[in-house]
Amino acid sequence: MIIIDGSYGEGGGQVLRTSLSLAAITGEAIRIENIRAGRPKPGLAAQHLTSVRAAAAICQAQVRGDKLGSTMLEFIPSSPTLAGQYSFDVSAAREGGSAGTVTLVLQTILLPLALAKGDSEVTLRGGTHVAHSPTLSYIEQVYLPAIALMGIAARVKLIAWGWYPQGGGQAHLRVSGDSTLCGITLLERGSLRLVQGLAVVTELPAHIPNRMALRADNILRENQLRANIKPLRERGVAPGAGIFLLAEYKNSLAGFSALGRVGLPAEKVAEIACEELLNFHEKVAPVDVHLADQILLPAALASSSSQYRVAQISNHLTTNAWVIHQFGLAEIEIDQTNQIVTVTPASAKTRENST
C-alpha cells in the first residue's frame, strides 16, 4: 500500500485527485492521510467524496474513510478500470445538497476511463462554474483540446449551468477508451490570433451579460487585442453570472474566468478576467498556470517524453509532481529559472537506456 501525505505542498484536493486517478490506473492500493490539511475545513468535502466514490465505481475499489470530513482514506482497487455508463451527483454527497464542482470529479476519472478498454459516458451533476476550481468552460475549451494533442479523445457538453451556492448544474462527458498517450512539446506559443469570450447569466436581467461583454471588449481593444465577446442569457435553477475568455495563440490555448457574486458589479467581473489574461499575455509561456499541473499526469503516463514552458510554477504543479513520484511513474524536472517542465515517463526512460 502506497502511503500518501495529504498535507504535502498545497495541502488541498490535488493530492487526493491525482492519487485516486493513479490508483485506478495502476491498481495500486493507497492510503491518504491528513487529507486537505492545508485548508480551513480539512477533510473530504462533497466534491472530494464524490470523486472518491466515482473512482471507486470505475475500478470496483474497496474503500475505508469515505465520509464527509474524513482526513484518512484507504482505497484498494479490485479490477482494472471498467468502461461504461456512469452517473455521479455531487449534491447527493451532503444532506441539503451541494454546489461542489463537477469538474474535479471529471478530472479524477477521465484518464482512467481513457485508458480503459471501451468507450464511456458519464453524467455529472453539481456545480459547473464554481470559484477556486476549473470551470466547465475551461475544461471544454482548454483542457480537453490540450490532452487531445496527447492522444485522449473526450468531449463534454454543458446541459445546465450550476453556480455556487445552489449548484444544480449538469454535464455529459464522453470518453473514448483504449487511448495511447504520447508526449507533448510546448515551448513557444506563437502570436495571438484572437480572444473569444462568453459573458453569461442565468435568471438575471439581460443588461448584466451585455455590460460584462462590453467592458471586456473595451479593455482588450484598448490593449490592442482582437476580441469577440458574446453576451448570453440562459435559463437555470438559480441566479448566476460569469465570464470566460479564451486566448487563441498559434500553438496553444489559455483560459481565464471570473464569476459574479452579490455586490460585485458586472464591469468588475469582466475586469478581473481581463487582468488575468493581460498578465498572461505579457509573458512568453504557452501554458497557463492551471493547465501546467493538469497536463502533468497524462505526460507522466505517455509513451514519450514531454517538455513545456509554464507561465507560473505553482504549488499545484510541484505538489502534483510529488504525488506522481510516489507511484514511480516518471521523472519530473521543473526548471525554476526558465520555467520549463520536463517529464520523462519510466517506460520512455527504459527504452532510452536500452538503446
Side-chain angles (χ1 to χ4, degrees):
M1 182 174 286
I2 299 175
I3 310 298
I4 307 290
D5 181 2
S7 69
Y8 182 87
E10 58 100 20
Q14 181 80 67
V15 175
L16 175 75
R17 291 189 298 278
T18 299
S19 298
L20 290 171
S21 293
L22 289 177
I25 290 167
T26 64
E28 295 276 6
I30 60 173
R31 177 186 173 94
I32 311 175
E33 302 171 344
N34 306 314
I35 295 173
R36 298 182 68 244
R39 295 295 182 260
K41 293 182 179 180
L44 298 175
Q47 64 265 31
H48 309 106
L49 180 56
T50 307
S51 296
V52 171
R53 292 173 175 169
I58 65 174
C59 65
Q60 299 183 334
Q62 301 174 33
V63 184
R64 188 166 72 92
D66 55 331
K67 60 182 181 180
L68 288 174
S70 175
T71 58
M72 185 284 300
L73 180 79
E74 288 187 357
F75 186 93
I76 306 172
S78 62
S79 80
T81 301
L82 302 171
Q85 293 189 340
Y86 297 96
S87 181
F88 305 111
D89 188 347
V90 178
S91 64
R94 188 175 67 192
E95 186 176 352
S98 169
T101 179
V102 301
T103 58
L104 301 183
V105 181
L106 180 152
Q107 289 189 317
T108 300
I109 61 174
L110 176 54
L111 286 179
L113 291 176
L115 296 170
K117 294 186 180 300
D119 301 341
S120 298
E121 295 189 12
V122 184
T123 299
L124 298 162
R125 296 181 177 88
T128 60
H129 293 72
V130 180
H132 311 301
S133 62
T135 65
L136 197 74
S137 300
Y138 185 93
I139 294 294
E140 179 183 20
Q141 299 185 43
V142 181
Y143 175 66
L144 292 186
I147 62 175
L149 299 174
M150 308 175 78
I152 298 173
R155 291 181 298 164
V156 67
K157 182 179 181 181
L158 176 63
I159 307 299
W161 296 79
W163 315 88
Y164 180 85
Q166 291 89 351
Q170 182 175 331
H172 187 250
L173 173 70
R174 292 176 180 265
V175 184
S176 298
D178 301 292
S179 300
T180 300
L181 275 61
C182 60
I184 192 170
T185 300
L186 275 176
L187 296 175
E188 304 294 336
R189 71 185 181 198
S191 59
L192 179 67
R193 291 173 170 171
L194 178 68
V195 176
Q196 296 198 58
L198 182 66
V200 63
V201 300
T202 59
E203 306 303 309
L204 288 172
H207 70 83
I208 295 178
N210 290 334
R211 287 161 53 201
M212 284 192 292
L214 180 61
R215 181 60 179 143
D217 189 75
N218 287 339
I219 292 173
L220 295 173
R221 290 184 186 278
E222 286 170 4
N223 286 273
Q224 288 77 53
L225 302 185
R226 291 180 57 217
N228 179 22
I229 316 297
K230 296 181 180 179
L232 182 65
R233 186 170 183 263
E234 294 276 73
R235 297 187 64 181
V237 299
I243 188 169
F244 177 78
L245 303 176
L246 177 69
E248 299 182 13
Y249 293 91
K250 180 181 178 181
N251 300 322
S252 67
L253 302 169
F256 310 90
S257 302
L259 302 176
R261 61 178 185 270
V262 176
L264 186 67
E267 291 78 9
K268 182 62 177 177
V269 177
E271 290 167 9
I272 293 171
C274 287
E275 182 179 359
E276 288 189 8
L277 187 153
L278 292 171
N279 286 340
F280 175 80
H281 185 65
E282 288 177 357
K283 302 173 182 177
V284 297
V287 180
D288 70 49
V289 62
H290 307 297
L291 189 62
D293 69 84
Q294 293 173 8
I295 61 174
L296 194 58
L297 184 51
L301 297 166
S303 58
S304 56
S305 298
S306 295
Q307 192 171 62
Y308 55 93
R309 189 187 306 273
V310 302
Q312 179 182 335
I313 297 173
S314 67
N315 280 338
H316 277 88
L317 175 61
T318 55
T319 300
N320 219 14
W322 176 83
V323 176
I324 292 169
H325 179 71
Q326 306 311 300
F327 286 80
L329 292 175
E331 288 187 4
I332 301 171
E333 178 186 347
I334 301 176
D335 182 342
Q336 300 276 350
T337 302
N338 297 304
Q339 296 187 295
I340 293 177
V341 179
T342 303
V343 184
T344 307
S347 57
K349 189 173 180 63
T350 300
R351 284 196 300 274
E352 291 171 4
N353 291 338
S354 64
T355 57

